[in-house]
Amino acid sequence: MTGNRTFTMIKPDAVESGHIGPILEKITAAGFKIVAMKYTQLSRRDAETFYAIHKERPFFGELVEFMTRGPIVAAILEKDNAVEDYRALIGATNPEQAAEGTIRKLYATSVAENAVHGADSDENAAIEGAFHFSGREIF
Ligand code: CMP
């Protein structure tokens, strides 16, 4: 059975380049309902915890620097088949491989600065959503 919620972040690069509005428009136009959202900035500790799974990767330091350099938008999105459908909407991690019309094709500039995050499983969507939001911030 597939779940109906996913977790996303609009990353510092897309916030800096003024793309919060167009990205939220793409998300809602694709049928996702925003059930939680906040404008915030990750501390170094937040980023190291959130991305702990990538701790041994050579790009971990760069990833933490990038994700903490400015504000982000964090959100929980609701739709049938949310995780899979949202990953299709954002496109491949590397924007050079992202399909036309996807959020990363439109707004990402590199594999590191790739505009948005999307949870890769129902389990991680729940963990990542709980990392950012308390129960009374989810509607
Ligand atoms: P995301 O898939 O949201 O979560 C892991 C992040 O690590 C990924 O987006 C990129 O921002 C970053 N990342 C993945 N691969 C690389 C890489 N080869 N070099 C730098 N950053 C990367």
Side-chain angles (χ1 to χ4, degrees):
M1 203 180 102
T2 57
N4 66 346
R5 286 188 174 181
T6 191
F7 173 77
T8 188
M9 291 183 286
I10 301 176
K11 298 185 180 185
D13 59 326
V15 172
E16 286 159 10
S17 51
H19 293 134
I20 296 175
I23 290 172
L24 291 178
E25 175 60 30
K26 292 275 290 179
I27 289 171
T28 53
F32 291 89
K33 182 183 169 198
I34 297 167
V35 297
M37 184 163 70
K38 66 172 66 164
Y39 192 39
T40 186
Q41 183 163 1
L42 298 178
S43 68
R44 171 165 290 273
R45 189 173 168 194
D46 289 334
E48 287 173 353
T49 305
F50 188 89
Y51 287 110
I53 194 168
H54 296 302
K55 204 168 176 40
E56 304 307 322
R57 304 279 190 100
F59 58 79
F60 184 71
E62 182 190 344
L63 175 60
V64 170
E65 285 299 318
F66 164 52
M67 287 302 298
T68 57
R69 82 173 184 215
I72 60 153
V73 176
I76 299 175
L77 307 175
E78 193 170 85
K79 181 184 183 295
D80 286 348
N81 203 34
V83 167
E84 198 178 315
D85 287 4
Y86 190 64
R87 288 178 74 79
L89 180 67
I90 67 178
T93 303
N94 184 341
E96 285 176 15
Q97 288 154 15
E100 286 301 328
T102 59
I103 291 173
R104 283 173 171 159
K105 184 70 176 184
L106 289 165
Y107 303 119
T109 52
S110 70
V111 68
E113 304 206 1
N114 61 2
V116 284
H117 169 81
D120 64 3
S121 66
D122 291 344
E123 187 190 6
N124 283 338
I127 293 168
E128 293 169 4
F131 181 86
H132 284 273
F133 297 99
S134 66
R136 67 187 176 86
E137 294 174 308
I138 302 170
F139 299 94

